[in-house]
Amino acid sequence: MASLNSISIFSTTLIIIIISLLTNSTESLLCTNKPLIFNFGDSNSDTGGLVAGLGYSVASPYGRTFFGKPTGRLSDGRLIIDFLCQSVKAKFLPPYLESLGSTFSNGANFAVVGSSTLPKFVPFALNVQLMQFLHFKSRSDELFAAGSQNMISNDRFQRALYIIDIGQNDIADAFAKKYSYAQVIKRIPSVLAEIKNAIMTLHDHGGRKFWVHNTGPLGCLPQKLWLVQPTTTQLDPNGCISTYNTAASLFNEGLRHLCTQLRSELKDSTIIYVDIYSIKYDLIANANKYGFSSPLTACCGFGGPPYNYNINVTCSHGAAQACAQGSKFISWDGIHLTEAANSIVAAKILSQEYSTPRLPFDFFCH
C-alpha cells in the first residue's frame, strides 16, 4: 500500500501537470479578436454575484487556495469559468451586480448562487438574468452611440460567447420538496423550455455563439447523500444516489436534443453542448487515478466520514473545518468542487472530447 506521503506527492504532482496543461492550452488558443463572454448560471459559475447582489457573506476558508481570500466563489479557488477565461487570456468575469471596480470590458457574469430556471421572476432565475443582460446591452448601446469608447459595440455583442450553465437547482429543489421521481421528471420539459427561451432571446438580440453545459451527477454530492441517508439499494456502484443521477441524465438528454433542435432552427448560429456530467462522474468513479481520495467526502464541513457534511454546520460556519490539502478532494463544501477538481474539469472541456460539435473553446473570438 502506498504511504500517505507518496499519495500526497502524487496528488500534488498531478495538479501541477493539470495546471501546466491548462497553461499550454492558453498558449494554443490565440484569439484574433478580444474575447467577450457573458455567462448565465448558478453557484457552479458564480464569481461573486450573490455577494454583490444581496450582500451575503462568503467567509474564509473560501478562496484560500488561489485568491488568498474569499471572492464570492463557492470553492477554495478558481471555478471552471475562471479556467475557461484564462484559456483565452481573458480577465476573470466580473459579476454583473458588482458596482465598484468593474469595467465589463471582457463581458459580465450574471450567474448567482441558488439560481434556477423556475419559478420565473424571482432573484435570480434564468429569465431575470436574461432581463439584466438585455438592460446591460441596451445601456451599452446607448452610451456607445453617445460616443463612449469604453462601452461594448453592437458587433462585439454579436461576436461574444454566451454560456448557459444552469439546471442543477431545478432538479435538486424538486427532490428537496419531496417530489416523487415521476414528478421530478415531469418538470424537465418546463426547465428545458426556459433554457430554449433564453437562447432564442439572446439570438433575437444578436447572439450567435452559444456554449451550453449540461448538469453534473447530483446524486454524488455529499450534501445530497447526507440529506437522503440512502440505503445500499438506492446507491449505484460508486456510492451515488441512483434516482438523482438518473434524473440529471434525463435532463441532460433533453438538453442535448434541444441543442440539436436549435442548430437546425438557428442556422446562422453555433451551439456547443458540453457533457459536464461525464467529466464529473469520471472524477468520482476514478478518483484514485486523478490523485483524489474519498471522492464523496467534503474537504470543508463537519461530521467526518463518510460525507463530512451537516446542513446545520456548513463550511465557514460554526465548528466546520477545512481539510489540510484541498488538492486531495473533489468536493470542497459538499456541493461545489475544489479548485483542483475544477482544473481537471476545465482541462477536459478544453480537450474538445466532451463537446458536440467538437470545436475549440476559442472558436468565438476568431
Side-chain angles (χ1 to χ4, degrees), residues 204-264:
D204 289 344
H205 287 81
R208 294 295 182 268
K209 299 169 182 179
F210 301 93
W211 190 269
V212 183
H213 287 181
N214 71 13
T215 198
L218 184 67
C220 299
L221 299 182
Q223 180 210 47
K224 304 307 177 191
L225 288 159
W226 184 87
L227 288 170
V228 174
Q229 293 294 314
T231 62
T232 303
T233 58
Q234 294 174 295
L235 299 176
D236 71 10
N238 291 298
C240 304
I241 305 171
S242 297
T243 52
Y244 280 40
N245 281 356
T246 300
S249 296
L250 287 173
F251 166 80
N252 292 340
E253 183 62 16
L255 186 62
R256 185 181 69 82
H257 279 295
L258 172 61
C259 289
T260 300
Q261 173 193 342
L262 287 173
R263 284 188 209 105
S264 65

Side-chain angles (χ1 to χ4, degrees), residues 142-205:
E142 290 174 8
L143 293 170
F144 188 83
S148 174
Q149 299 302 309
N150 297 323
M151 292 298 104
I152 300 168
S153 62
N154 190 58
D155 65 311
R156 287 197 68 209
F157 275 109
Q158 293 180 0
R159 294 199 307 267
L161 182 67
Y162 297 87
I163 300 178
I164 308 292
D165 189 353
I166 202 165
Q168 176 175 305
N169 289 327
D170 287 280
I171 300 171
D173 291 348
F175 278 117
K177 291 175 182 175
K178 306 299 182 182
Y179 287 7
S180 68
Y181 174 78
Q183 289 173 316
V184 173
I185 301 307
K186 190 175 180 180
R187 286 170 54 89
I188 290 177
S190 298
V191 176
L192 295 173
E194 291 301 314
I195 294 175
K196 178 179 181 179
N197 177 69
I199 294 175
M200 295 295 288
T201 301
L202 290 170
H203 180 269
D204 289 344
H205 287 81

Side-chain angles (χ1 to χ4, degrees), residues 256-275:
R256 185 181 69 82
H257 279 295
L258 172 61
C259 289
T260 300
Q261 173 193 342
L262 287 173
R263 284 188 209 105
S264 65
E265 293 181 15
L266 308 177
K267 295 186 182 298
D268 60 349
S269 299
T270 302
I271 301 170
I272 312 296
Y273 170 82
V274 186
D275 187 6

